[in-house]
Every structure is written in structure tokens, then in C-alpha cells.
């Protein structure tokens, strides 16, 4: 059974930092298709960090320079370091992994971890 388990969310003040962790079981992050998404109330889920096929981290403009995604291949874990947090970063953060390189490939999601940034 594949499981992705996120942790590390919480309440933080504006300008603070958090590190999210995603640990996988039942599957190995062999590909660079692991990513972090977030979903704020009333908004669509959006990508906040991922990797290109060559393994280069990629970010949207909204978080570039503040968020860092990195992996521990041995521990089969992916992290999201978040700095200079803003109230707009408040959301449930999800780890995902697409187990293949086609659109038909299965995508696995964690249960999410809440991040709340107070002003």
C-alpha cells in the first residue's frame, strides 16, 4: 500500500519559517515527479515546488526565493523549506508523486498538513 505522510505544518507568524516533510512508504521516489502543492480555502490546488525532468527544482513566482524543495534519496523523503512566510501562504500543503512519466501514470497524494501564517 502506497502512503505519503506529510508533517511539519503549524501556526507561524509572518516572516517565520517552517519545514514540511513527506515520507513515502510502499513506493520509492525514483522519478523527479515528486512535488508539493497547496490549497487555500475557496481556491484551487496549486503547485508550489517540484522538479524538472533533469532534477532541477522549480517554483512559481509566488514562492520563488522563499521556498526550497529538496530530497533525501536514502530516506525516501522530500522536504519543503519555507521561509519569509506570508499570510497568503496559509493553506493545506500536500505532497504528491506521479509514478510514471505519462498522464496515465498514477498520482499519489498525502493527507495534507495545515500551514497557517498569522499577520
Amino acid at each position: 500500500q502506497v502512503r505519503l505522510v506529510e508533517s511539519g505544518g503549524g501556526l507561524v507568524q509572518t516572516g517565520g519559517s517552517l519545514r514540511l516533510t513527506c515520507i513515502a512508504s510502499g513506493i520509492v521516489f525514483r522519478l523527479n515527479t515528486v512535488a508539493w502543492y497547496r490549497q487555500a480555502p475557496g481556491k484551487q490546488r496549486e503547485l508550489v515546488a517540484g522538479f524538472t525532468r533533469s532534477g532541477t527544482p522549480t517554483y512559481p513566482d509566488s514562492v520563488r526565493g522563499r521556498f526550497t524543495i529538496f530530497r533525501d534519496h536514502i530516506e525516501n523523503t522530500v522536504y519543503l523549506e519555507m521561509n519569509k512566510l506570508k499570510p497568503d501562504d496559509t493553506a493545506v500543503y500536500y505532497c504528491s508523486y506521479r509514478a510514471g512519466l505519462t498522464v496515465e501514470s498514477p498520482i499519489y497524494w498525502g493527507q495534507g498538513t495545515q500551514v497557517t501564517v498569522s499577520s
Side-chain angles (χ1 to χ4, degrees):
Q1 182 181 2
V2 176
R3 289 190 67 202
L4 304 183
V5 179
E6 303 98 335
S7 62
L11 174 64
V12 64
Q13 292 184 334
T14 295
S17 299
L18 285 172
R19 176 179 290 188
L20 306 183
T21 300
C22 174
I23 300 175
S25 60
I27 198 166
V28 175
F29 291 150
R30 301 184 189 278
L31 304 173
N32 291 322
T33 52
V34 62
W36 286 95
Y37 287 77
R38 69 184 179 188
Q39 187 166 20
K43 296 186 177 181
Q44 290 188 333
R45 191 171 296 190
E46 62 173 348
L47 175 70
V48 293
F51 296 95
T52 64
R53 284 204 178 187
S54 62
T56 302
T58 182
Y59 311 94
D61 291 343
S62 58
V63 306
R64 188 176 296 112
R66 300 188 297 119
F67 288 14
T68 303
I69 184 172
F70 58 101
R71 301 169 60 173
D72 183 328
H73 292 272
I74 295 175
E75 298 295 330
N76 205 33
T77 301
V78 62
Y79 302 91
L80 184 66
E81 183 75 28
M82 306 186 296
N83 298 311
K84 300 179 182 178
L85 284 162
K86 307 174 183 179
D88 284 348
D89 296 319
T90 295
V92 178
Y93 284 70
Y94 298 90
C95 172
S96 78
Y97 180 65
R98 183 187 290 273
L101 298 177
T102 69
V103 294
E104 293 83 12
S105 301
I107 301 177
Y108 300 99
W109 295 91
Q111 82 290 348
T113 185
Q114 176 71 46
V115 171
T116 302
V117 184
S118 63
S119 58

